[in-house]
Amino acid sequence: MNACRCHWPLIVIVAAYLVLGSLFALRTPVWQNPDEPAHYNYTRQIVRSGTLPIIEPEDWVAGLVPIGPDVRDVPVERMTYEDHQPPLFYCLSVPVFAITDGSLVALRLFALLIGAFVVAFAYFTVATIFPAHRYLAAFAATFIALLPQHLAIMSSYNNDALSEALLALAVLLSVRMIMKRDAFAAGRLAILAVVVGLCFITKAQAYLALPVALLGGFLAARRADAPDNAFPSLLRVVLVVLGLSALIGLPWWVRSVRLYGGADFLGLQRHNAVVVGQPTTAEWLAAYGLGGVLWRLWQTTFQSFWGQFGWMSIPLDRRIYLALLVFTLISAVLFLTWWAHGRAARRRLSRQMHARADSALYSPYLLLTTQQAHALTLLAGGALFTVLAYAWYNLQFVQHQGRYLYPALIPIATALALGWSFLFSRREAIGRWLWLALLIGLAAFDAYLLFRVILPGMGA
């Protein structure tokens, strides 16, 4: 009961997420989410054959993808180009598929439910860093839960929900490793290793959990109260996390190498060879030049991060994007102001930086403990890993989709929470309710987009 009272905002946030997400899942026409037919067919093949599928050249049919909102009677059973994906999400979906006779709505709701863990893990990550300021956690969780495009993706059928949930759990465990005194307890490290291993058999994007966990171990090993144990502690993290997680991923990697040859342990090389006709970055560079490609990368990424629905075929009104751009820029300025204020405060109050390592932070707008600074460094590292992975993916194929930045949602949402709360740092009574204002605003925005933009745009 005490935990419920302390964390009641999370209950409200998850309830809003489930209600609005269910509306998206129920009302969005069939197959009008990116790659949804291919993910659906993966599960259907498991149910029908009892074996995992293998990606083959005929799995991609040029001209079928993307499915426009005005396209009807598409032979979706021919879309099986996601057959290279790791199997965990689809295997978990098999009972739902079997019980509901392959109901797409039921499968969407199943994915939506998994996505609720993303929201919860994000909340507890920020609450772990700032235990005396849980309204920061509520603000961050609200943004992640009700970000329009993210809500649409979580309410569609694909493996993103489980991938993000496991990655968010890895971030949470890594943050706790930094913040807690018993960071290197065998049980904690084993759980983190298992989570990283499950990421290996969920989605390639979730492999970001490994560098996050190792960075968390490095930062935890630098604890001010145990400098002499830094290297042995870090070595223990590396051995346990790499060893146990690799044992979980190894059978999948061996299977992929045996099927696809070479060092293609993820099946990505075979996938790239199959999806002939997908636009490449080299082709766009020849057609538009570097400046043109970079502009399209920025514009499409920004728009689809906030909301570009269907198969990227339903953008928002330009005025809405302009308002979102203004909000984004203001948020960035506020966060940078918070960061600069903190640096100035540390210089002025350097004598107060020698507080005990486990001391509670008086205010996140003045001084951070060493552990809090390290935890925020971990989040920044996770964001950097995500951006680098996004850039690497776009070096070969044109994939200017903001959803590929969603593994960095926890760092992004934390930055938003710190920036906007800093604006009201002298009026904390207002700042602690910002999350509720954000929830009401985003919920209304989501409902407007669903009923006035998305469904009309899809002819539903």
Side-chain angles (χ1 to χ4, degrees), residues 302 319-332 420:
F302 175 80
R319 292 169 295 182
I320 295 178
Y321 285 130
L322 179 60
L324 293 173
L325 178 60
V326 170
F327 173 81
T328 302
L329 293 175
I330 292 175
S331 300
W420 283 97

Side-chain angles (χ1 to χ4, degrees), residues 45-222:
Q45 291 175 86
I46 296 177
V47 172
R48 289 184 174 180
S49 68
T51 59
L52 299 179
I54 302 171
I55 190 168
E56 298 172 326
E58 60 270 19
D59 290 344
W60 171 267
V61 182
L64 287 184
V65 177
I67 302 175
D70 56 342
V71 177
R72 298 292 185 267
D73 300 324
V74 178
V76 295
E77 66 280 355
R78 299 177 62 188
M79 298 183 185
T80 52
Y81 53 86
E82 297 289 355
D83 285 355
H84 67 293
Q85 293 280 1
L88 182 58
F89 171 75
Y90 308 99
C91 291
L92 293 176
S93 302
V94 164
V96 179
F97 191 105
I99 293 171
T100 64
D101 195 25
S103 167
L104 178 61
V105 169
L107 291 168
R108 286 177 174 177
L109 293 175
F110 173 71
L112 178 72
L113 186 61
I114 293 176
F117 288 97
V118 179
V119 179
F121 294 149
Y123 174 90
F124 286 114
T125 295
V126 182
T128 299
I129 301 173
F130 301 107
H133 301 83
R134 291 197 179 98
Y135 56 85
L136 295 172
F139 190 102
T142 297
F143 179 79
I144 292 172
L146 301 183
L147 176 66
Q149 185 70 46
H150 188 244
L151 184 63
I153 294 299
M154 292 296 100
S155 60
S156 64
Y157 185 66
N158 59 63
N159 57 358
D160 284 15
L162 184 60
S163 172
E164 285 191 38
L166 289 172
L167 181 54
L169 180 55
V171 172
L172 172 59
L173 294 174
S174 299
V175 164
R176 287 186 171 177
M177 182 166 56
I178 293 171
M179 300 294 294
K180 305 297 182 181
R181 279 190 173 276
D182 57 344
F184 304 107
R188 287 182 181 273
L189 292 180
I191 293 172
L192 177 59
V194 169
V195 171
V196 173
L198 294 178
C199 287
F200 291 161
I201 57 174
T202 298
K203 189 170 185 174
Q205 195 174 42
Y207 280 51
L208 293 170
L210 179 59
V212 165
L214 295 180
L215 177 59
F218 171 76
L219 293 170
R222 295 180 60 197

Side-chain angles (χ1 to χ4, degrees), residues 361-382:
L361 177 65
Y362 174 72
S363 171
Y365 317 115
L366 188 60
L367 292 175
L368 300 177
T369 65
T370 300
Q371 284 72 21
Q372 288 171 323
H374 284 173
L376 293 180
T377 300
L378 174 72
L379 297 189

